[in-house]
Amino acid sequence: MGSGTDEAGGGWSRRRLVGVLGGAAASAALAGCADDSGSTGGRAVPEARETAGTSAPGSSASPSGPRPLYLGTYTSAEGGGRGIGVASYDPVSGRITGGGTITGVPDPSYLAVHPDGGTLYAANERARGAVTAVRLSDRAVLGSRATGGTHTCHVSVHPGGRWLLSADYGSGTVAVHPIDASGALGERTDQVTHRRPAPGPGQQGPHAHQVVTAPDGGHVLAVDLGTDTVYSYRLDERNGTLTEVAQAHTRAGAGPRHLTFHPGGRYAYLANESDDTVAVCGYDAATGRLRIGAPQSTGAKAGTNYPAQFAVTPDGAHAFLANRGDNTLARYAVEADGARLRLVGTVPVAGDFPRQIALSPDGGLLFAANQRSGTVGVFRVDAASGEPRLTGEPFASPVAVCAVPL
């Protein structure tokens, strides 16, 4: 997902003004979805800085042993990675150990794992939008499918495990692909374009930024920064088609980017990139309707800040927000069974431009992918207070834009 500066200005090239692409790299970003040179057919390739002899991420491990961690990047960016980073982390200390790279996956800027844990899916954020499947048991690339849009920036797997959902920032489109028994992807079964309402202030068109299934599994919600709208769809689980059932509109120019549900399923938290606010949203599972509340503070003190996304602890007691520009994590106490967010404060993220954050499955660790510094910071989250504390030196990962701990 892209730079706040470029998105707020309505440009379709979401990395151009982030400062991570040079002229030659920008040309490469528009060239299409050809594999990186030197591809090894999807096998993980050790890098010099990484420690040999570590447990192979993707293999089973006890809760007390090393756990898998997968890292997204821009392969076409200056100083970017060569594919999907493979690592492991210690669930007690939070220490990350590198384990190689899955090549043959161009610009994997966002990652999602199948509910059965066997397959990893990547958004290929290039001019010809695509999604790629990777089998985790042997790290084999199972192939890519075109989304029919441009600059695919987000992927998620429907809870039933049969459908992959993707959002294309450049074209303002959402696509559906079937997932077969092996985890591989079939040809696209549907694509919807956000044609209404008209683009918001300063926007040149729709910019679908995220697509996610509500916790009840009944509706799919797509967040569009360009139209200041969250669209609700019903997914036909037999045919893989989407039918729009509702729209929720932010105030003009808010630029909604990312929606994260509270575990209770009745509320969700929306990060508004363009106007540097957040909002609590009510969700009606029966109709799919979202009610967007009043804008609230991100806690940022920097003159320019672009909130990226929320992460909510499994018990629903605490929420965290990544602030790009302010380079902080905002910490919120979640109150009234999810209906209220109370800003507690912010802590430095120990990096530059935290593009994405994620909690470990138990909620004990928080991972922050810092795009401009090329690092992943790890924070221990206090179960009672929710206070995040940095566990050690951040892990070096080229143009880190996504971290997925399993």
Side-chain angles (χ1 to χ4, degrees):
M1 301 196 247
S3 78
T5 305
D6 202 25
E7 288 167 359
W12 55 262
S13 177
R14 303 177 327 114
R15 290 169 284 165
R16 184 163 51 211
L17 300 182
V18 179
V20 297
L21 285 177
S27 297
L30 300 178
C33 283
D35 287 355
D36 291 40
S37 60
S39 170
T40 58
R43 302 295 295 181
V45 181
E47 296 182 5
R49 72 172 184 275
E50 296 169 338
T51 304
T54 61
S55 300
S59 62
S60 60
S62 67
S64 61
R67 301 296 303 155
L69 177 69
Y70 298 97
L71 305 170
T73 186
Y74 286 122
T75 58
S76 59
E78 182 179 352
R82 295 184 292 116
I84 298 171
V86 180
S88 62
Y89 69 95
D90 186 311
V92 177
S93 69
R95 182 178 182 271
I96 297 174
T97 302
T101 303
I102 301 171
T103 60
V105 186
D107 289 321
S109 68
Y110 204 89
L111 308 173
V113 178
H114 192 279
D116 67 11
T119 312
L120 182 70
Y121 300 96
N124 304 130
E125 193 171 333
R126 291 195 164 187
R128 181 177 180 268
V131 286
T132 297
V134 178
R135 186 171 57 223
L136 292 180
S137 60
D138 59 0
R139 304 174 188 170
V141 176
L142 300 178
S144 299
R145 297 288 184 176
T147 64
T150 62
H151 291 91
T152 309
C153 66
H154 188 268
V155 289
S156 63
V157 183
H158 188 267
R162 295 182 54 216
W163 304 102
L164 182 73
L165 308 166
S166 59
D168 299 306
Y169 180 87
S171 52
T173 50
V174 172
V176 184
H177 287 82
I179 300 172
D180 69 20
S182 72
L185 298 169
E187 291 292 342
R188 184 178 70 249
T189 55
D190 200 9
Q191 181 192 54
V192 295
T193 302
H194 297 156
R195 303 187 187 280
R196 61 180 184 88
Q203 301 294 338
Q204 298 172 351
H207 295 307
H209 222 309
Q210 179 202 26
V211 57
V212 63
T213 305
D216 61 274
H219 294 91
V220 170
L221 290 87
V223 181
D224 196 294
L225 183 148
T227 62
D228 292 328
T229 300
V230 180
Y231 300 81
S232 294
Y233 296 96
R234 185 170 289 280
L235 173 68
D236 182 326
E237 295 188 48
R238 173 171 293 185
N239 299 311
T241 55
L242 296 169
T243 301
E244 183 180 316
V245 297
Q247 294 182 8
H249 306 289
T250 66
R251 64 179 182 177
R257 175 187 176 90
H258 199 282
L259 185 76
T260 303
F261 275 89
H262 183 269
R266 296 174 54 201
Y267 301 97
Y269 311 117
L270 186 63
N272 294 317
E273 174 175 310
S274 299
D275 72 355
D276 188 22
T277 65
V278 300
V280 177
C281 305
Y283 171 70
D284 183 350
T287 64
R289 291 188 177 277
L290 197 73
R291 303 181 311 278
I292 300 175
Q296 298 179 218
S297 173
T298 63
K301 300 296 191 296
T304 302
N305 182 64
Y306 305 103
Q309 74 172 85
F310 276 99
V312 184
T313 55
D315 62 5
H318 311 286
F320 305 94
L321 176 73
N323 279 320
R324 298 170 300 163
D326 198 55
N327 291 338
T328 57
L329 292 174
R331 176 164 60 104
Y332 296 85
V334 180
E335 301 174 337
D337 295 326
R340 289 199 304 266
L341 289 179
R342 176 171 55 84
L343 180 63
V344 177
T346 62
V347 297
V349 80
D352 190 358
F353 223 65
R355 166 78 167 273
Q356 179 260 1
I357 57 175
L359 289 160
S360 59
D362 65 359
L365 296 172
L366 185 148
F367 297 78
N370 301 308
Q371 181 173 357
R372 290 179 176 169
S373 57
T375 57
V376 178
V378 186
F379 296 79
R380 168 64 64 185
V381 178
D382 184 88
S385 68
E387 181 181 2
R389 295 184 178 179
L390 192 66
T391 62
E393 288 297 317
F395 177 75
S397 182
V399 189
V401 291
C402 186
V404 177
L406 302 186

